[in-house]
Amino acid sequence: MFVTVIPILLTVYAFGQAVAFPSPSATHRHASVIIRDVCIIGGGSSGTYAAIGLRDKGKSVALIEAQSLLGGHTNTYTDPATSKKVDYGVIIFPNISTVTSYFDRFNILLTPGNGSPSTAVENYYVDFRTGRTVTGYSLPDTTAAFRAYATQVAKYPFLNIPGWHLPDPVPEDLLTPFGDFVKKYQLDDAVSTINEYAQGFGDLLSIPTLYVLKYFNVPPVQAGASSTSLTTARHDNSELYEKAREELGEDVFLSSTVIATSRNRRGVKITIKTPQGFKTILARKLVISIPPLLSNLRGFDLSEAERDLFGLFSSEAYYTGLLRNTGIPENVVLNNVATDTPYNIPPEPSIYGLFALSTPNVTGLKNFQFGASTALSESAVKASVVSAISKLQTAGTIPTASTPEFVAYNSHTPYELHVSADAIRAGFYKNLTALQGQRNTWWTGAAFSKHASSDLWAFTDGLLPDIAS
């Protein structure tokens, strides 16, 4: 690999051929030039996996990440009292070879675990809008409903394959609002549990059924109820990304943003702003793993096809964190249920609940997740959470003597990119998949598959041979 610290030339001789690029602006004229085989934008689950995979195939890489660390939705807190780690983002993984091989590569021990609290808990069901316990509420028996649900999922084996592999035409059942699908197949008793797993999906009952069945398919249903799921033995999923960062070394550019891109059949040029100044990366190929919303891609030289497709995406907002001093006993879990909505699903924006930790021997903390249909500021989310806890105190549901403290917080926004049923019917995902390889660019991330680390790694694996060729 070569790092050339010279002013940008109009024509750079790279990879044995002359590659012509537009003249740099005056602002970026003195950026240093970095030459790599592949540039990867986004250091979350998909982007980091791509960087490591390409390194393993002998390719030089540059990994660009806007945050100060790698890992995306993988968030870990260190408890100062015990030095124990607490995962509060991505927590569990399915027990499949894609997962075990990746963790084995970094000598990280996995252990069975399904994310459940480390000790027995009492579940209370509370309407967080009022702070009052919902008298007489209990979760329905899901046995028959999930049996019927599994029957429906089995009709669409292509949904279990990483990526979007939809038939043409797309079955109309997959395009119907999920609430209508539930009624048609008498799945009512499964909805509360599905909503618990499909956090961050917005109005669950109105989105096309395709997205629910893609995310909440039979394997997660089975894994969530058994010991076939895995977590890291130290409850430190971020260790994976710390070790990846260490291995990638100076090929990682943290706290860095893309200013401009230029892509053609010969290669790509990426101008980035780093804490050390502007840099320009010249590469044969580009991998983009950030959510492909137009607002995320300012400065990118999008084609008409890319702009038209990405402009159809809508997204949700999702936040997670840890609280101290809630006054809630260690063995108590408060679940948010509404008294006046279908299936008791709380209207957004709302907190999903206050949950016990899966990390043993860490006390005084509660995990929360929060969903909204539009992006909110950190202060707005925290104010809403504090307001909900205040209502719990006022209603006498929890003690009033404590003031909650946020010890960890993270935004997973934008989350769950989706399009309308009409767009899906018109071939959106066929056209999205067709973008792969155009102008030496490959796309990965949840919008191209689903929100599950194992699925994203498997999907990215499928792209690597073409990227590395």
Side-chain angles (χ1 to χ4, degrees), residues 173 219 465:
D173 266 356

CSV table of all heavy atoms in Angstrom, one decimal, residues 173 219 465:
chain,number,residue,atom,x,y,z
A,173,ASP,N,-49.6,-10.8,-0.7
A,173,ASP,CA,-49.6,-10.9,0.7
A,173,ASP,C,-48.5,-10.1,1.4
A,173,ASP,O,-48.6,-9.6,2.5
A,173,ASP,CB,-49.6,-12.3,1.2
A,173,ASP,CG,-51.0,-12.9,1.4
A,173,ASP,OD1,-52.0,-12.1,1.3
A,173,ASP,OD2,-51.1,-14.1,1.7
A,219,PRO,N,-36.1,-18.4,12.0
A,219,PRO,CA,-34.9,-18.6,12.9
A,219,PRO,C,-34.8,-17.7,14.1
A,219,PRO,O,-34.6,-18.1,15.2
A,219,PRO,CB,-33.8,-18.4,11.9
A,219,PRO,CG,-34.3,-18.9,10.6
A,219,PRO,CD,-35.8,-18.4,10.6
A,465,PRO,N,-16.1,-11.3,-3.4
A,465,PRO,CA,-15.3,-11.8,-4.5
A,465,PRO,C,-15.3,-10.8,-5.7
A,465,PRO,O,-14.3,-10.6,-6.4
A,465,PRO,CB,-16.1,-13.1,-4.9
A,465,PRO,CG,-16.7,-13.5,-3.6
A,465,PRO,CD,-17.1,-12.3,-2.9
